[in-house]
Amino acid sequence: MANRRGRKSKYETNVKPRLLEIAAWCRDGLTDKEIAEKLGISQDSFYVYKNEHTEFSDTLKETKEIADIKVENSLNKNANGYDYEEQTVVMKKEVIYKDGKRVKEVTYPEIITITKHKEAETKAQMFWLQNRKPEKWRNQSQIDLRVNKLEDILNGNNS
């Protein structure tokens, strides 16, 4: 789309050709401000383009939502612990016999799959609880900031 002077808009030159790159930045957790800076546009232009161009707003929304869901799932998994499979190499030994006599011994590598368990992480559990049930798990002390509190303490009224 050309502007009044017949030149392409910054959306056409700076944003539209970089939608795939923008999606990657969203997955990496960049803010709208940081994305605008990387695109060489103002934050105001960023929001105008976001409102005017559905392909741009969809790219931002969908990739940010997907990234958030992946992180939420990982946090949940780490908070609860999980089993996973891992491949490892073990050395196998085969002894070859002929007419009841040991002829030779052959050693060779073999890839096997083993199941391991990742223990639940206490930090992930605390983070989850503090954010999902803040009224019960908030890690803050409430401080009474009444102006007359000092006066009460000095007068022996520690209520």
Side-chain angles (χ1 to χ4, degrees):
M1 177 187 297
N3 63 17
R4 289 178 290 199
R5 296 183 195 133
R7 288 186 283 168
K8 286 185 177 183
S9 73
K10 275 201 171 185
Y11 178 79
E12 295 294 324
T13 59
N14 294 36
V15 179
K16 188 174 180 178
R18 299 177 77 183
L19 291 175
L20 191 58
E21 197 174 359
I22 292 166
W25 293 336
C26 290
R27 285 190 302 274
D28 291 344
L30 270 65
T31 64
D32 291 349
K33 180 181 178 184
E34 292 168 327
I35 293 171
E37 288 172 4
K38 284 185 169 281
L39 293 171
I41 61 174
S42 69
Q43 264 190 282
D44 290 341
S45 294
F46 180 93
Y47 292 115
V48 168
Y49 298 154
K50 189 174 168 180
N51 288 330
E52 290 179 354
H53 302 278
T54 55
E55 63 188 346
F56 180 48
S57 61
D58 288 350
T59 296
L60 293 167
K61 184 179 181 216
E62 290 169 12
T63 51
K64 284 181 179 186
E65 284 178 4
I66 291 168
D68 289 346
I69 289 167
K70 285 181 177 179
V71 170
E72 287 171 3
N73 288 341
S74 293
L75 176 64
N76 184 292
K77 207 170 157 182
N78 281 318
N80 292 298
Y82 57 93
D83 292 333
Y84 64 99
E85 290 186 343
E86 184 175 284
Q87 289 188 327
T88 188
V89 177
V90 294
M91 296 306 289
K92 292 281 188 166
K93 188 185 292 187
E94 185 178 337
V95 179
I96 300 171
Y97 293 92
K98 187 174 183 180
D99 297 328
K101 292 188 176 185
R102 184 179 175 148
V103 177
K104 68 178 178 178
E105 185 176 288
V106 179
T107 305
Y108 58 93
E110 184 176 306
I111 298 174
I112 62 167
T113 301
I114 57 175
T115 301
K116 289 188 170 185
H117 181 73
K118 168 78 170 67
E119 293 295 325
E121 293 181 13
T122 307
K123 284 184 181 180
Q125 293 167 341
M126 288 304 299
F127 184 81
W128 183 269
L129 290 169
Q130 287 172 354
N131 285 284
R132 298 283 290 192
K133 295 186 172 190
E135 65 285 345
K136 185 174 181 181
W137 293 94
R138 182 171 286 128
N139 195 11
Q140 298 176 0
S141 300
Q142 292 188 357
I143 301 170
D144 189 351
L145 295 176
R146 294 182 301 177
V147 173
N148 61 352
K149 185 71 176 169
L150 181 59
E151 244 176 62
D152 290 346
I153 292 172
L154 292 175
N155 292 329
N157 300 328
N158 294 338
S159 55

